[in-house]
Amino acid sequence: MAQKTTCDPSAAFFGSMGAASALIFANLGAAYGTAKAGVGVAHLGIMNHTKIMRGIVPVVMAGILGIYGLIVSLIITNNITVNKYSNFAGYIHFGAGLAAGMASLAAGLAIGIVGDSSVRAYGKQDKIFVAMILMLIFAEALGLYGLIIGLLMNGKATSALGCSSS
């Protein structure tokens, strides 16, 4: 028989901090990536307005990072239960939120910098478009790695839900 641990009220705090961390850091990355790449798109509109629709790719990719944080945050929040939430689950959810949030923050920084410079270069040279897309895909993958790890960690925390009534 599996031994159940006692529930500590602070466990829900750590789970909630994980949910908040995932959402906050992922949206910080999305906001930075969108803003930085958006400056490049504005510059592209001045240089060559016919290329704006293809040049907006980094802005869209940065926006996706916020969705990664939202997914992890919702999953963590749905697993926080009254009187059945162990310290282990709280700590794992905190780590899952940090993993997803910080990975998306890093991806947003990369997408913003790469997006700004490569969109400006694309305004002057069409051949840079494929290279721009490849760089953005690898930058976006950083956020995806955090999402995957966050989901895997959530699975571990879900298996540890439940406490003794002592």
Side-chain angles (χ1 to χ4, degrees):
M1 186 175 208
Q3 182 174 350
K4 303 250 181 188
T5 59
T6 59
C7 286
D8 186 0
S10 67
F13 169 77
F14 285 102
S16 299
M17 286 303 294
S21 296
L23 193 61
I24 291 166
F25 290 125
N27 282 312
L28 280 173
Y32 179 83
T34 300
K36 184 83 169 146
V39 170
V41 172
H43 188 75
L44 176 66
I46 294 169
M47 290 190 323
N48 190 342
H49 67 88
T50 61
K51 296 181 179 181
I52 289 178
M53 287 311 291
R54 289 183 83 185
I56 205 164
V57 172
V59 174
V60 173
M61 291 181 82
I64 292 170
L65 297 172
I67 296 171
Y68 294 165
L70 179 64
I71 290 168
V72 172
S73 184
L74 286 173
I75 290 172
I76 291 172
T77 302
N78 284 334
N79 285 322
I80 298 174
T81 56
V82 178
N83 296 329
K84 292 184 181 180
Y85 197 67
S86 68
N87 286 341
F88 179 79
Y91 300 149
I92 293 293
H93 280 144
F94 183 54
L98 284 176
M102 291 297 212
S104 291
L105 176 60
L109 293 172
I111 288 171
I113 294 167
V114 168
D116 181 28
S117 60
S118 60
V119 163
R120 290 174 192 246
Y122 172 61
K124 296 179 181 177
Q125 176 58 260
D126 286 343
K127 294 179 183 178
I128 196 75
F129 185 75
V130 174
M132 175 183 78
I133 296 298
L134 287 173
M135 290 184 285
L136 290 170
I137 287 171
F138 285 114
E140 182 81 25
L142 299 173
L144 190 58
Y145 300 153
L147 172 67
I148 291 167
I149 293 301
L151 294 176
L152 290 173
M153 290 176 77
N154 179 66
K156 293 289 184 190
T158 303
S159 66
L161 291 177
C163 305
S164 65
S165 59
S166 56

